[in-house]
């Protein structure tokens, strides 16, 4: 198969695959915030003081990466696709939400994620009806980092499921679901001082308002699982699990995520596939509070022996407590995979990070401004393309038309590539990216110039046009590849060390450099070889671009009969 046919087939397969997998709408690039409009928030991280539960340490790369992960999940909870959450420098996080001008995002995106441990009072199905509830994936909390409880479901687990069903069907709190909270000590060793017969205002009591909220909660709605915990630690709250399979009534929080010093996912010795667990350790105050909390839960009937791990108002796990854990070292076991165990460990670690955030800048860009910028960028690109074409046609004549064809193929490949990257990896074309595409026009044209000049040099040395096309390519190839390698290297270094919009410029510049190599090798060179087999170019006619006059050579003069010229 010839290079031209291979290139045409590749383009056809890319376009066909893109339309088949993502639809016709995927044939247009996704636009970044500066072109589509939206909201951009810059958050500056600060160590959380020890008085507020922090460790008093500095801002680390691990802490920033965990913050990016949690904030990205929170932003996506708003139903916004392709939101960008990236670090800027060592202590800034930039959140960009294309196509959204929503003050709600600005208000909530910078809130420090709250990780809390709350006792489970009731468990119900995900729907707002009293039908059969969705069942949470129960694990087990055990003492000691070296112990490995059996991962298999037991009769006690079955009883926990049954208790959850009864609690969901009965609007009044059952003895196993709500008799505990009024005497449960709070973090710091204090109790609420109320008896079991306290009024509805007693912390830990399920009030009628809580029952109504629990009954109406629909965890199948993604909006109900987007988090944003604003309730006080001592309040009774309702919450969904992160997968939308169950809903909970949760008691007052007695242990905070900031009291965790370590959380890691791992496999116990001798465990089989799928038996992942999470090991965690608490600081001094957390050890005492966790011991009191697990003592109050151990020995109760399900679901009153469950402890919910709640991040921003969403239940990530609700393991059963089998016994008191006084050492500050615990394992969470259950039907965890490697991914789910590591995800939960990340949640636990994030709760222990000593970081708070303040909004440094908030920028809102309207879609109208984005359209104007995009239109200006496209006009600039069109002007650059026209100038290159006019110059190439004037100077290279027929060869200039081949350069125009190469530029059109490069533009088509760039459009397809950017569209494909947008669907496959969420890439969005920014104004800086448009600038990179425009600059790449000159790089592509430069490759044509190198080849054309080498070709013309071969003709000046006496070779025929058809032979010059081959020898000229051999001389130009190394120069073209070397120049493109330098451009690609520069784009890579710029992308690695730069931030924000400069990355978009470097990325598109690198992509277009690769496209330039593909076009010059698989399209331009084969096209010229094919064209020079035609008599018009083979005879170096006037507008071929390789005519003796256009090369600055004296026209050949036929010798007169019987003498010398």
């Amino acid at each position: 198969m010839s290079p031209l046919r291979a290139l045409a087939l590749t383009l056809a397969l890319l376009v066909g695959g893109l339309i088949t997998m993502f639809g016709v709408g995927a044939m247009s690039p996704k636009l970044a915030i500066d072109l589509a409009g939206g909201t951009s928030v810059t958050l500056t991280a600060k160590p959380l003081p020890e008085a507020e539960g922090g460790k008093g340490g500095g801002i680390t790369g691990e802490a920033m990466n965990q913050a990016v992960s949690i904030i990205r999940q929170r932003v996506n909870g708003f139903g916004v696709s392709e939101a960008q959450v990236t670090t800027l420098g060592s202590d800034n996080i930039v959140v960009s939400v294309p196509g959204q001008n929503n003050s709600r995002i600005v208000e909530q995106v910078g809130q420090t994620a709250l990780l809390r441990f709350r006792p489970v009072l009731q468990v119900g199905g995900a729907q707002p009806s009293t039908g059969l509830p969705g069942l949470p994936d129960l694990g087990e909390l055990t003492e000691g980092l070296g112990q490995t409880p059996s991962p298999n479901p037991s009769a006690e687990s079955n009883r926990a499921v049954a208790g959850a069903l009864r609690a969901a069907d009965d609007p009044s709190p059952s003895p196993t679901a709500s008799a505990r909270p009024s005497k449960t000590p709070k973090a710091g060793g204090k109790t609420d001082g109320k008896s079991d017969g306290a009024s509805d205002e007693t912390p830990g009591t399920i009030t009628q308002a809580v029952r109504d909220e629990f009954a109406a909660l629909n965890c199948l709605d993604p909006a109900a699982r987007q988090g944003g915990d604003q309730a006080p630690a001592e309040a009774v709250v309702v919450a969904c699990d992160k997968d939308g399979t169950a809903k909970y009534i949760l008691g007052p929080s007695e242990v905070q995520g900031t009291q965790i010093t370590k959380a890691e996912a791992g496999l116990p010795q001798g465990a089989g596939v799928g038996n992942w667990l999470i090991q965690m350790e608490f600081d001094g105050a957390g050890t005492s509070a966790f011991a009191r909390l697990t003592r109050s839960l151990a020995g109760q009937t399900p679901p009153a022996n469950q402890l919910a791990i709640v991040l921003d108002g969403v239940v990530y796990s609700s393991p059963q407590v089998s016994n008191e854990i006084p050492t500050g070292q615990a394992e969470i076991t259950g039907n965890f995979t490697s991914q789910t165990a590591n995800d939960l460990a990340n949640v636990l670690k994030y709760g222990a990070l000593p970081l708070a955030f303040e909004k440094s800048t908030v920028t809102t860009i309207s879609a109208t401004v984005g359209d104007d910028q995009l239109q200006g960028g496209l006009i600039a690109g069109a002007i650059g393309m026209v100038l290159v074409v006019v110059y190439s046609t004037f100077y290279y004549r027929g060869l200039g038309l081949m350069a125009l064809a190469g530029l059109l193929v490069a533009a088509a490949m760039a459009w397809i590539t950017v569209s494909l990257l947008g669907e496959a990896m969420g890439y969005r074309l920014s104004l800086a990216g448009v600038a990179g595409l425009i600059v790449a026009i000159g790089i592509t044209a430069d490759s044509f110039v190198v080849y054309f000049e080498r070709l013309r040099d071969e003709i000046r040395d006496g070779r025929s046009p058809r032979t010059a096309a081959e020898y000229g390519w051999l001389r130009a190839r190394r120069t073209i590849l070397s120049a493109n390698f330098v451009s690609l290297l520069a784009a890579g270094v710029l992308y690695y060390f730069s931030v924000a919009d400069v990355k978009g410029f470097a990325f598109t510049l690198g992509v277009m450099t690769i496209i330039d190599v593909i076009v010059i090798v698989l399209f331009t060179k084969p096209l010229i070889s094919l064209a020079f087999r035609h008599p018009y170019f083979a005879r170096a006619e006037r507008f071929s671009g390789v005519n003796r006059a256009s090369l600055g050579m004296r026209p050949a003069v036929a010798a007169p009969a019987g003498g010398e010229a």
Side-chain angles (χ1 to χ4, degrees), residues 117-185:
F117 293 81
R118 291 182 178 270
V120 175
L121 306 184
Q122 285 190 14
V123 183
Q127 298 180 355
S129 65
T130 58
L132 293 177
L135 300 179
D137 184 13
L138 300 181
E140 184 178 5
L141 269 171
T142 57
E143 179 182 359
L145 292 175
Q147 298 183 10
T148 306
S150 172
N152 297 324
S154 61
E156 183 179 3
S157 298
N158 294 330
R159 287 196 299 272
V161 171
L165 287 169
R166 287 195 298 273
D169 292 334
D170 186 359
S172 61
S174 65
T176 62
S178 60
R180 173 185 70 252
S182 60
K183 290 186 179 181
T184 301

Side-chain angles (χ1 to χ4, degrees), residues 161-511:
V161 171
L165 287 169
R166 287 195 298 273
D169 292 334
D170 186 359
S172 61
S174 65
T176 62
S178 60
R180 173 185 70 252
S182 60
K183 290 186 179 181
T184 301
K186 294 188 287 186
K190 297 181 180 180
T191 64
D192 47 37
K194 301 290 181 76
S195 65
D196 290 348
S199 67
D200 285 347
E201 301 301 323
T202 303
T205 299
I206 303 177
T207 65
Q208 186 60 45
V210 172
R211 293 180 189 135
D212 293 341
E213 185 180 0
F214 178 74
L217 183 61
N218 180 15
C219 292
L220 298 180
D221 182 4
R225 306 194 302 269
Q226 68 184 17
D229 187 8
Q230 298 297 314
E234 62 272 13
V236 174
V237 299
V238 300
C240 299
D241 77 333
K242 65 181 179 65
D243 298 320
T245 58
K247 59 184 175 181
Y248 300 80
I249 298 180
L250 306 174
S253 174
E254 311 198 8
V255 183
Q256 309 299 318
T258 52
Q259 295 172 313
I260 296 177
T261 59
K262 179 182 178 182
E264 293 181 348
L267 280 170
Q269 293 183 354
V273 177
N275 293 326
W276 284 78
L277 54 79
I278 298 95
Q279 302 168 334
M280 59 182 181
E281 297 180 10
F282 292 90
D283 60 14
T287 297
S288 300
F290 197 68
R292 290 191 296 271
L293 178 58
T294 53
R295 183 169 62 247
S296 70
L297 299 180
Q300 300 207 43
T301 56
N305 66 343
Q306 289 178 240
L307 179 62
I309 301 171
V310 187
L311 177 70
D312 276 353
V314 176
V315 177
Y316 270 66
S317 181
S318 56
Q320 298 177 6
V321 178
S322 59
N323 54 280
E324 178 187 351
I325 304 176
T327 61
Q329 297 179 335
E331 291 178 348
I332 305 175
T333 63
N335 296 322
F336 293 112
T337 64
S338 173
Q339 180 178 348
T340 57
N342 279 284
D343 287 347
L344 182 55
N346 287 338
V347 170
L348 296 173
K349 283 192 291 186
Y350 183 79
L353 296 178
L355 295 180
F357 292 95
E358 66 176 11
K359 300 181 184 68
S360 300
T361 60
V362 178
T363 305
T364 300
I365 302 177
S366 68
T368 302
V369 174
D371 288 340
D372 292 342
Q373 291 176 335
L374 179 59
Q375 184 178 4
L378 294 177
I379 291 175
I383 293 174
M385 178 76 79
V386 169
L387 291 177
V388 170
V389 170
V390 170
Y391 176 80
S392 299
T393 304
F394 175 78
Y395 190 77
Y396 290 109
R397 308 297 176 87
L399 293 177
L401 296 178
M402 298 181 196
L404 172 60
L407 289 174
L408 292 177
V409 171
M413 291 188 63
W415 185 275
I416 295 171
T417 302
V418 172
S419 300
L420 184 61
L421 291 175
E423 296 293 342
M425 55 178 288
Y427 172 74
R428 285 182 173 266
L429 184 63
S430 65
L431 188 62
V434 174
L437 294 176
I438 295 172
V439 170
I441 295 175
I443 296 177
T444 303
D446 184 62
S447 297
F448 297 154
V449 169
V450 172
Y451 181 26
F452 294 164
E453 288 299 324
R454 293 295 189 185
L455 185 156
R456 287 153 69 109
D457 285 343
E458 293 296 327
I459 293 177
R460 291 188 183 97
D461 290 340
R463 298 187 186 275
S464 68
R466 185 171 178 177
T467 305
E470 302 302 324
Y471 279 91
W473 170 247
L474 294 178
R475 295 181 59 187
R477 182 175 55 189
R478 178 173 295 183
T479 303
I480 292 173
L481 294 179
S482 298
N484 278 283
F485 176 76
V486 172
S487 296
L488 187 61
L489 182 63
V493 172
L494 189 62
Y495 182 86
Y496 183 80
F497 289 103
S498 63
V499 294
D501 290 342
V502 181
K503 283 184 176 292
F505 173 84
F507 183 82
T508 53
L509 183 61
V511 169

Side-chain angles (χ1 to χ4, degrees), residues 74 78 103-111 226-228 359:
R74 181 186 299 168
F78 287 98
S103 59
R104 180 172 169 223
I105 297 177
V106 178
E107 291 172 359
Q108 295 195 19
V109 73
Q111 295 173 355
Q226 68 184 17
K359 300 181 184 68

